[in-house]
Amino acid sequence: MNELIHYLTNIERLAWAIPLGPLGGTILAALLAFHPKQGIRKVAHWPVIVGLVIALIASVLTSAYLGKIPETILVLEGYTFIGIKDFQIRWGLYIDSLATVMLLLVNGIGLLVTIYSVGYMKDDEGYARYFAILGLFVFSMSMLVLVDNYLVLYVFWEGVGLCSYLLIGHWYEKPTASAAARKAFLVNRIGDAALFIGIILLYRELGSGRFGSVFYLAGTLNPERLTLIGVLLLAGACAKSAQFPLHVWLPDAMEGPTPVSALIHAATMVTAGVYLVARSVALFALSVTASCAVLVVGTLTAFLGAILALTQYDLKRVLAYSTISQLGVMFMGLGAMCLKSELAAIAAAAVIFHLVSHGLFKALLFLCAGNIMHATGGVIDLRMLGGLRKSLPYTHLSFVIGALALAGIPPLAGFFSKDAILAVFAQTGSGQMAGASLIMTTIFVLVGALTAFYISRAYLLTFWGEEQSMGQVHPRPHEAPWIMLIPVMLLAFGSLIAGILLEPTGYFRNYIHLSQPFGQLPGRETEHSPWGWITVSVILAMTAMGLAFWLYPAQRQYTEEPLTKLGVLYTWSAAKFFIDEIYNLIFVRLAEASAWLSGWLDRILDAIVDLVGWSTWFLGRVFRPMQNGQVQFYALAIILGIAIFSLVLVSRWGG
């Protein structure tokens, strides 16, 4: 008993240090940003790094202590967020295995990206401002996964959105960067509005937004209202995690600094949507319609993202569409419960495992892209790259590891995490859902093959073939400094060993289920490894890689895009299926037409108001001479009036 109290006390002390570390670093960095001396502003990274080190250490210790307390969810009381008579909203920290895993991901990747940024952003004029917002970004995401209340979660949900807007538009002097920031902000407003309505409905139906109460009372909700709430939560998740049809902001977000892209794609912004659905899986498990909506959205997005990544020439956009596709894979896994509700907990655990794995190798790939831009003076177009393996040996090796992990090649992390989701689909293949399960599993494997092809294409065009001229800034490509290489190599090492350490030993699966983090779920089944499907998946992925090596020979520079032979399919993929143009026509042009029409209506109304005023003025000018103050004039007017009136009467009487 004393040991248990000791663990609980330590967790309570450590939990508050996790968000306060980055917050303190943010405040100090922001103060340094206003210092007049450039040299002082250039040390603004230190408070943020120290704060993230504190947060990471506290996250590791909290996770370790929690692992010693089986079947525990620890809720630490915080403060009263809203207090109006009988309406009280209190919030605190919700510590369970899901929260601690997310905190390790957010603070671990956040720390490495921050260290990397010291080298990448060293000559940037907004150096201190960048690090202040970076720390605020990590703080907001940490609080998002720590709070125990949907409404307070929404507050930090908006905080994450604000930080992403500021960081995507960090170079706001560039029209493309400011436009990308606005696009991300506006698209996310759609999902945020839906999420807010869903949270209000939760309060209206259940009288509370605290996780414990919601999960306990979810079964009492009206089925139609439960489905509506689930769909609204899904809409919010779709915007944050760039799921179809709200995926269009993420590729354009590549206009921001590359370390920002790594942080957004690996640990913060886009992971928030996956976390929301995983945290709310107890709600989705009770609604077949809502969970099937998750499955359909994920399937469409996974396939669409993979198709679009095939034909992109901007390396960062290839990785961006890859993120969209991989997040779709995660939504597929979360939606698998609609095929078999008993798999809700297993599916959520598998998806969180892939979220962690994806965070490692996607951050690795983006930071490698940052090294390439650093080496080539900002060149990121695959048609202008080539032959970089000799000039960038460490980046080359790290990119290979990240690419293999993304492709799901054993024994890297991506192989184990994607196959954990594949194992979930394998268990749905019985009864009435056997056909649907087969279709979903086939699509899942096909997406894996497409993933292996497009990342191999990007690798070959970047590191093989003839070395290109990189312009006047850096005529000879060079490897990044060690402060940028060390985070990259640590991520490469993590991508190599994470799967082996976590999946075969069963450690991650056992830990994520330790405290029942997914609320009141249906019973769990024993996992069975679908070795047949796993073998097919690996063979198809390796075949796709071989096809890429055949189409893009490593020893020569291609003169024509081989995929153009696909004809209209290539055209549509290269044009991103004209989705941006369609949205521009339907929403932007419609808004512009409405503004034009409103302008003309405003002019018409303004003219009417002016006419009323002018008429009053004219009548005043007409009758004003009659008010001259002369008695004889008034008498004459009266006599004339009487005469006219008399004539009228006589004429009518005479008639």
Side-chain angles (χ1 to χ4, degrees):
M1 186 63 183
N2 290 334
E3 187 178 16
L4 176 61
I5 295 174
H6 171 72
Y7 291 148
L8 293 175
T9 303
N10 285 334
I11 291 175
E12 184 171 0
R13 291 173 178 171
L14 292 166
W16 289 106
I18 296 172
L20 292 179
L23 180 61
T26 294
I27 294 172
L28 291 175
L31 292 174
L32 292 174
F34 290 101
H35 200 281
K37 292 185 178 180
Q38 179 71 9
I40 300 297
R41 295 199 297 270
K42 285 297 183 179
V43 300
H45 58 273
W46 279 115
V48 180
I49 290 176
V50 171
L52 289 176
V53 168
I54 293 172
L56 181 59
I57 293 173
S59 299
V60 171
L61 293 176
T62 299
S63 177
Y65 285 130
L66 191 70
K68 299 179 182 295
I69 310 173
E71 306 296 327
T72 295
I73 297 174
L74 185 60
V75 180
L76 305 179
E77 288 297 328
Y79 304 95
T80 299
F81 180 60
I82 297 176
I84 305 174
K85 293 185 178 179
D86 295 333
F87 184 69
Q88 301 284 328
I89 297 180
R90 290 186 58 81
W91 68 278
L93 303 185
Y94 195 83
I95 312 295
D96 64 1
S97 56
L98 175 58
T100 54
V101 167
M102 290 296 299
L103 289 170
L104 289 171
L105 175 66
V106 171
N107 290 293
I109 299 295
L111 176 61
L112 293 177
V113 168
T114 303
I115 294 172
Y116 180 92
S117 297
V118 175
Y120 191 87
M121 303 292 290
K122 66 177 182 178
D123 297 322
D124 192 83
E125 292 183 0
Y127 188 84
R129 169 170 55 88
Y130 170 85
F131 281 98
I133 300 172
L134 202 68
L136 184 63
F137 204 5
V138 177
F139 162 74
S140 299
M141 189 66 194
S142 296
M143 287 302 298
L144 189 153
V145 303
L146 267 174
V147 295
D148 69 334
N149 188 298
Y150 275 103
L151 188 59
V152 184
L153 178 148
Y154 182 79
V155 172
F156 293 103
W157 182 274
E158 292 292 349
V160 169
L162 173 63
C163 293
S164 66
Y165 167 77
L166 295 173
L167 288 171
I168 293 169
H170 176 74
W171 293 317
Y172 54 86
E173 302 90 349
K174 292 172 55 180
T176 52
S178 57
R182 288 195 303 270
K183 186 175 183 179
F185 192 79
L186 291 173
V187 171
N188 273 276
R189 296 285 67 72
I190 300 171
D192 293 354
L195 175 60
F196 187 71
I197 295 171
I199 293 172
I200 295 302
L201 285 176
L202 272 177
Y203 271 94
R204 178 182 176 183
E205 297 297 319
L206 301 178
S208 174
R210 302 191 78 167
F211 295 151
S213 300
V214 170
F215 300 152
Y216 181 75
L217 298 172
T220 65
L221 280 170
N222 176 277
E224 290 78 12
R225 193 56 54 86
L226 179 62
T227 296
L228 177 59
I229 291 172
V231 171
L232 290 170
L233 295 182
L234 173 61
C238 283
K240 273 290 185 288
S241 291
Q243 296 295 284
F244 179 83
L246 301 177
H247 66 285
V248 292
W249 67 270
L250 189 56
D252 290 350
M254 299 304 96
E255 292 293 336
T258 302
V260 171
S261 301
L263 190 59
I264 288 176
H265 287 249
T268 52
M269 181 79 165
V270 299
T271 63
V274 178
Y275 167 78
L276 176 66
V277 179
R279 174 61 78 193
S280 308
V281 74
L283 295 173
F284 286 95
L286 296 174
S287 173
V288 174
T289 303
S291 57
C292 282
V294 176
L295 179 61
V296 171
V297 167
T299 303
L300 288 173
T301 308
F303 193 69
L304 177 65
I307 291 293
L308 296 181
L310 291 173
T311 55
Q312 301 302 308
Y313 287 110
D314 186 308
L315 177 58
K316 288 175 66 176
R317 276 180 164 76
V318 172
L319 298 178
Y321 281 112
S322 170
T323 298
I324 292 172
S325 179
Q326 291 302 302
L327 291 168
V329 166
M330 298 176 207
F331 274 77
M332 285 181 69
L334 289 168
M337 71 185 91
C338 81
L339 303 177
K340 199 170 187 178
S341 61
E342 291 82 2
L343 297 175
I346 291 178
V351 166
I352 296 301
F353 181 29
H354 189 51
L355 185 68
V356 172
S357 172
H358 176 265
L360 291 171
F361 60 71
K362 189 53 61 69
L364 169 61
L365 290 171
F366 267 108
L367 295 188
C368 285
N371 285 357
I372 292 167
M373 294 181 70
H374 179 270
T376 60
V379 176
I380 200 66
D381 193 322
L382 294 174
R383 293 167 293 189
M384 299 176 64
L385 297 175
L388 293 179
R389 67 190 185 282
K390 295 180 181 179
S391 302
L392 284 68
Y394 297 109
T395 300
H396 171 238
L397 178 59
S398 299
F399 194 96
V400 169
I401 294 172
L404 292 175
L406 175 60
I409 303 301
L412 283 86
F415 165 75
F416 290 104
S417 60
K418 287 206 296 190
D419 286 335
I421 300 177
L422 185 59
V424 173
F425 280 108
Q427 294 181 70
T428 63
S430 60
Q432 297 179 346
M433 293 295 183
S437 174
L438 179 61
I439 293 173
M440 292 297 104
T441 308
T442 302
I443 293 174
F444 187 93
V445 172
L446 179 59
V447 168
L450 293 172
T451 302
F453 180 87
Y454 68 66
I455 196 60
S456 298
R457 170 182 176 267
Y459 163 71
L460 289 167
L461 296 181
T462 302
F463 292 100
W464 291 84
E466 299 177 6
E467 186 172 314
Q468 304 294 304
S469 174
M470 300 303 169
Q472 300 300 319
V473 179
H474 293 295
R476 179 66 183 175
H478 58 285
E479 188 62 273
W482 282 107
I483 197 167
M484 295 168 64
L485 283 177
I486 290 174
V488 169
M489 290 189 288
L490 288 173
L491 288 167
F493 182 70
S495 299
L496 272 174
I497 68 167
I500 297 174
L501 291 179
L502 297 178
E503 180 59 18
T505 60
Y507 177 80
F508 185 89
R509 184 168 60 252
N510 293 334
Y511 178 75
I512 203 70
H513 284 309
L514 189 64
S515 60
Q516 300 282 345
F518 308 117
Q520 304 299 318
L521 293 172
R524 300 197 300 267
E525 294 189 358
T526 304
E527 289 194 60
H528 302 284
S529 297
W531 291 111
W533 278 111
I534 291 175
T535 303
V536 171
S537 176
V538 173
I539 291 175
L540 284 178
M542 297 184 72
T543 302
M545 294 175 69
L547 179 61
F549 275 82
W550 179 65
L551 291 175
Y552 302 89
Q555 299 303 326
R556 70 176 178 85
Q557 188 71 19
Y558 77 99
T559 56
E560 182 182 1
E561 171 60 63
L563 293 180
T564 55
K565 296 178 181 179
L566 295 175
V568 68
L569 295 177
Y570 172 82
T571 302
W572 279 68
S573 175
K576 298 171 286 188
F577 290 96
F578 302 100
I579 294 174
D580 283 287
E581 288 76 10
I582 293 171
Y583 285 179
N584 185 68
L585 179 64
I586 295 176
F587 299 109
V588 178
R589 297 303 178 190
L590 183 62
E592 290 176 349
S594 300
W596 179 84
L597 180 61
S598 298
W600 274 103
L601 290 174
D602 183 67
R603 291 187 182 94
I604 293 171
L605 292 173
D606 189 58
I608 293 172
V609 173
D610 289 344
L611 179 61
V612 172
W614 182 85
S615 300
T616 305
W617 173 84
F618 179 76
L619 292 173
R621 288 293 297 263
V622 171
F623 291 105
R624 186 173 61 188
M626 299 175 64
Q627 305 298 321
N628 52 24
Q630 297 179 4
V631 176
Q632 61 271 31
F633 177 81
Y634 296 152
L636 178 62
I638 292 170
I639 293 170
L640 289 174
I642 293 172
I644 293 171
F645 182 69
S646 300
L647 288 173
V648 172
L649 289 177
V650 169
S651 63
R652 290 199 173 191
W653 179 76

